[in-house]
Amino acid sequence: MTAKDDAQRRVLELLWKDARRPARGPRRGLTTERIVAAAIQVAETEGPAALSMRRVAEELGVGTASLYTYLPGKAELEALMVDAIGAEDTLPDDRPGDWRAKVEAWARADHQLFREHPWVLHLVATVAAPGPNLLRWMDSALRVLAGTGLTEAEKMAVVESVDAYVRGQARLSLDTREPSAEEVRERDALLGELVDFSPYPALVEAVRAGVSPYTGDKFEFGLRLLLDGVEALISSRRASTP
């Protein structure tokens, strides 16, 4: 077993075994839940880069060594944080409406969560160990697509595609600053002076037609196109079913 495999085993054992009491050492008035809550507070106020066993210990007012009687290290702490986040989510199958309404609701909720709490997006992208709450959520998401006629592989692909789209749009919105109207005007004026647009005929045609950069809700536009494709696949499955 490699060191990486051993580390993953420790994380999974902590997630799936009884992690509510320290594995060794005396009780110090802490609980795993308190440690995770303090870590979330650090990430929320200072960002994921500030997260460390030492910083969390400071937040709790204890020595760093005390945390190691409860958790082997930072990787395990991050895995518990991600699982704790999942515990707060409304399950996809518990949302109202048909399959599409449920998917839209969970996609919007996750997108808002990632934008308002960027550290969640960071941890979800880096923690690969699935805990009980993540598997509970995945099971619920797959149940949303029950009765659609999609194969099991297609159901999983839909869930993963929507999740990837939500994360990608959230990441893009966090990494990209929208320019002001004045900045756009100044940029376009400079481009008009400096650039020969003849090598870009399709772009010139669009500009001549009065097309401007899309100013609507790009997230909703893309989500609608994605789910239109899923709906077309579901309709084709139903049409082919005798």
Side-chain angles (χ1 to χ4, degrees):
M1 180 180 293
T2 66
K4 184 176 181 181
D5 291 337
D6 188 51
Q8 179 166 273
R9 181 180 181 84
R10 290 197 306 270
V11 172
L12 288 171
E13 285 181 343
L14 186 61
L15 284 166
W16 287 95
K17 290 186 176 180
D18 183 7
R20 302 310 181 212
R21 58 178 181 269
R24 62 184 186 278
R27 293 186 179 275
R28 301 177 184 272
L30 292 179
T31 63
T32 304
E33 291 91 339
R34 280 190 63 201
I35 295 170
V36 171
I40 288 175
Q41 179 63 24
V42 170
E44 185 74 26
T45 57
E46 302 175 30
L51 190 64
S52 68
M53 297 293 276
R54 176 179 293 180
R55 179 65 191 87
V56 174
E58 291 175 355
E59 185 74 13
L60 289 164
V62 300
T64 306
S66 298
L67 299 192
Y68 287 101
T69 66
Y70 290 80
L71 299 170
K74 182 181 175 183
E76 291 80 5
L77 174 60
E78 290 180 340
L80 288 176
M81 291 170 68
V82 170
D83 200 55
I85 296 162
E88 299 175 2
D89 290 343
T90 300
L91 292 176
D93 198 38
D94 288 340
R95 296 182 182 277
D98 61 8
W99 73 265
R100 179 159 182 160
K102 292 175 188 289
V103 174
E104 289 174 345
W106 107 49
R108 290 169 183 147
D110 283 359
H111 187 245
Q112 182 176 355
L113 172 69
F114 292 146
R115 292 191 64 182
E116 293 179 353
H117 309 280
W119 65 270
V120 176
L121 181 62
H122 172 81
L123 283 194
V124 168
T126 57
V127 173
N133 288 314
L134 176 59
L135 293 194
R136 186 170 61 99
W137 185 95
M138 180 62 73
D139 179 78
S140 176
L142 290 170
R143 281 189 279 113
V144 166
L145 300 168
T148 59
L150 298 180
T151 67
E152 296 307 315
E154 288 167 344
K155 292 176 189 175
M156 183 65 75
V158 169
V159 173
E160 291 178 339
S161 295
V162 172
D163 182 57
Y165 172 73
V166 171
R167 293 193 200 189
Q169 285 294 313
R171 174 64 64 191
L172 184 63
S173 67
L174 291 171
D175 291 346
T176 305
R177 183 184 69 85
E178 290 290 336
S180 67
E182 181 62 26
E183 288 173 324
V184 171
R185 284 193 295 270
E186 292 178 359
R187 179 200 63 195
D188 290 349
L190 283 171
L191 287 173
E193 295 175 12
L194 300 173
V195 179
D196 174 13
F197 282 92
S198 59
Y200 317 110
L203 179 60
V204 170
E205 189 68 21
V207 172
R208 285 176 177 169
V211 174
S212 60
Y214 183 66
T215 57
D217 189 326
K218 298 179 181 66
F219 174 78
E220 288 292 335
F221 180 75
L223 181 63
R224 183 170 70 250
L225 292 183
L226 175 58
L227 296 185
D228 282 350
V230 175
E231 190 158 17
L233 178 60
I234 290 173
S235 296
S236 71
R237 287 283 186 275
R238 290 172 173 167
S240 62
T241 302

